[in-house]
Amino acid sequence: MVLHPPGSQAAAPAQGHTLHRCIPERLTALRALLARFGIDLRLHPFDAPLPGSYWGDAEAGIVGHTLHVRPDTPVHSALHEACHLVCMDRYRRAAVHTDAGGDDLEEAAVCRLQILLADHLPGVGRDALMADMDAWGYSFRLGSTRAWFLRDSEDADAWLRTHDLVDATGAVTFRLRGAP
């Protein structure tokens, strides 16, 4: 899985596709969703540098238990970085700044979880988020985020279940990995 095209700081969305962004009307729901995990959401002014942003520009950043966004931050980026915080073990979470680390399977679990969490954001949902992920440049071996999610993410689902981040039905448990 490739998250952004090689050689670019941050991919640009496909021409003609309008991404769902962290606009003020969406922040209350996003903040409430992340609070269920104990993740703080910090909004920065448009064009301000985002602390902890791995990709730079408008891409979300993570520092400790805080997710940093701007009004032009894509929702998929905010959910992706938040899901890194959910999926990493407590030791990495306590020290994280910018680079979430983890292995390929954890990265796949992060992608699956961000899609599941999109259903908890009014006006977004999994279909829109998967379209945003495709438009931004996420790349899966079956050709689209939807195909991967529906037919090739069993290992990611198993990983999420093993760490009690989703239940037996695949529903989000709103727990952090390793939390009591």
Side-chain angles (χ1 to χ4, degrees):
M1 158 183 14
V2 175
L3 294 183
H4 297 278
S8 68
Q9 274 285 347
Q15 192 170 22
H17 184 88
T18 302
L19 295 173
H20 292 79
R21 302 218 180 243
C22 293
I23 56 175
E25 299 81 12
R26 208 168 267 131
L27 285 179
T28 300
L30 182 58
R31 186 172 274 118
L33 177 64
L34 299 180
R36 295 181 74 177
F37 293 102
I39 298 171
D40 182 40
L41 176 66
R42 185 136 330 135
L43 178 64
H44 296 268
F46 186 80
D47 288 337
L50 287 173
S53 177
Y54 185 83
W55 297 103
D57 196 30
E59 295 296 303
I62 51 174
V63 179
H65 289 256
T66 303
L67 178 73
H68 297 272
V69 301
R70 303 186 319 207
D72 61 334
T73 298
V75 170
H76 74 82
S77 176
L79 288 177
H80 188 85
E81 296 306 319
C83 288
H84 270 299
L85 291 174
V86 172
C87 289
M88 66 180 57
D89 66 38
R90 62 187 171 140
Y91 303 107
R92 280 185 19 237
R93 195 167 36 251
V96 70
H97 191 301
T98 308
D99 188 352
D103 59 21
D104 289 343
L105 185 52
E106 184 177 307
E107 185 69 36
V110 164
C111 289
R112 184 166 176 84
L113 185 59
Q114 80 186 75
I115 293 165
L116 295 173
L117 286 181
D119 284 342
H120 296 272
L121 288 177
V124 181
R126 71 178 61 185
D127 293 332
L129 193 81
M130 287 188 281
D132 284 0
M133 290 168 72
D134 288 342
W136 198 252
Y138 286 70
S139 177
F140 297 94
R141 66 178 163 232
L142 294 183
S144 73
T145 304
R146 176 180 302 289
W148 170 79
F149 183 80
L150 295 174
R151 299 193 314 265
D152 194 33
S153 65
E154 299 86 5
D155 55 347
D157 182 58
W159 191 97
L160 291 169
R161 289 172 197 259
T162 296
H163 294 287
D164 297 320
L165 302 179
V166 299
D167 65 19
T169 69
V172 179
T173 61
F174 295 98
R175 297 171 42 110
L176 294 171
R177 178 178 169 192

